[in-house]
Amino acid sequence: MPEPPFDVPRLPAGDSLALRPWTLADLPLVEEASGDPYIPLITTVPSAYSHAAGVAFVERQWDRAAHGTGWPFVVERVADGRAVGTVGLWSAPHARASAGYWVAPSARGGGAALAGLRAATAWAFAALGLARVELYVEPWNTASRRTAESAGFRPEGLLRSWQEVGGARRDMLMYARLPTDPVG
Ligand SMILES: CC(C)(COP(=O)(O)OP(=O)(O)OC[C@H]1O[C@@H](n2cnc3c(N)ncnc32)[C@H](O)[C@@H]1OP(=O)(O)O)[C@@H](O)C(=O)NCCC(=O)NCCS
């Protein structure tokens, strides 16, 4: 594990996407995500968008890297540089990290989260020497479960009443991938 502060590199993600750090040019992505019914419930994306709230969100991503709590990536479409979503790795003890991802509603259906998750996880194992990447998915969230499974993550169990989401306790499926697991 590298010592903090962490660097967020630019990485290829499949044929047409790339992972890169957040910039203030990504505010339209934050604004679109604010209008999604679910993303603000599970992230710090503001549910009521304003320019100031969007800037504060991007600054929180910079702080995470600067203070060593994680590696927040934007998923960018290489052809036009458009930011379509995000993948983040959040540092945990014992050479572990947890992953999270979301895609702008207008960019869904193209496997952006899958390409981003594959790239971030491969980098975490190769460059950071992590032993395990975990992620948590609500059982109803088929698109996220498919994304995790296609990226080689395996379900390890149902975590009952794991966290509060939108004011109610929710169960979460825990998925994990080890460096020795097949890519999927
Ligand atoms: C989860 C999310 C990132 C997936 O977006 P995406 O990368 O565009 O994924 P896709 O739309 O390509 O869907 C991935 C797979 O799920 C399937 N899928 C998508 N929506 C589905 C639905 N409502 N019911 C069943 N299957 C669905 C797709 O057909 C695809 O299947 P495939 O692997 O067989 O091709 C996106 O839905 C999202 O941002 N959701 C809100 C935030 C969220 O839930 N994040 C994850 C938290 S754990």
Side-chain angles (χ1 to χ4, degrees), residues 46-141:
S47 56
Y49 185 81
S50 66
H51 179 76
V55 170
F57 173 82
V58 172
E59 287 176 344
R60 278 196 293 281
Q61 311 316 305
W62 293 340
D63 284 347
R64 286 176 156 163
H67 294 121
T69 54
W71 296 267
F73 293 98
V74 167
V75 183
E76 177 192 273
R77 201 162 60 191
V78 172
D80 58 5
R82 183 186 162 203
V84 296
T86 177
V87 176
L89 291 169
W90 316 123
S91 183
H94 307 294
R96 298 190 302 254
S98 62
Y101 42 83
W102 52 260
V103 170
S106 65
R108 287 182 194 160
L114 172 58
L117 182 62
R118 277 188 175 143
T121 310
W123 174 77
F125 292 143
L128 305 178
L130 295 189
R132 176 180 164 93
V133 176
E134 305 170 344
L135 56 87
Y136 305 87
V137 184
E138 289 198 65
W140 58 262
N141 196 342

Side-chain angles (χ1 to χ4, degrees), residues 167-182:
R169 299 295 305 183
R170 305 282 182 100
D171 297 343
M172 290 282 166
L173 285 167
M174 172 180 247
Y175 282 83
R177 198 180 148 216
L178 310 188
T180 46
D181 288 340

Side-chain angles (χ1 to χ4, degrees), residues 144-169:
S144 183
R145 291 174 65 174
R146 289 286 310 147
T147 297
E149 288 161 7
S150 299
F153 283 73
R154 298 186 191 177
E156 295 188 333
L158 183 69
L159 303 167
R160 296 176 303 152
S161 193
W162 180 248
Q163 72 187 72
E164 198 171 294
V165 177
R169 299 295 305 183

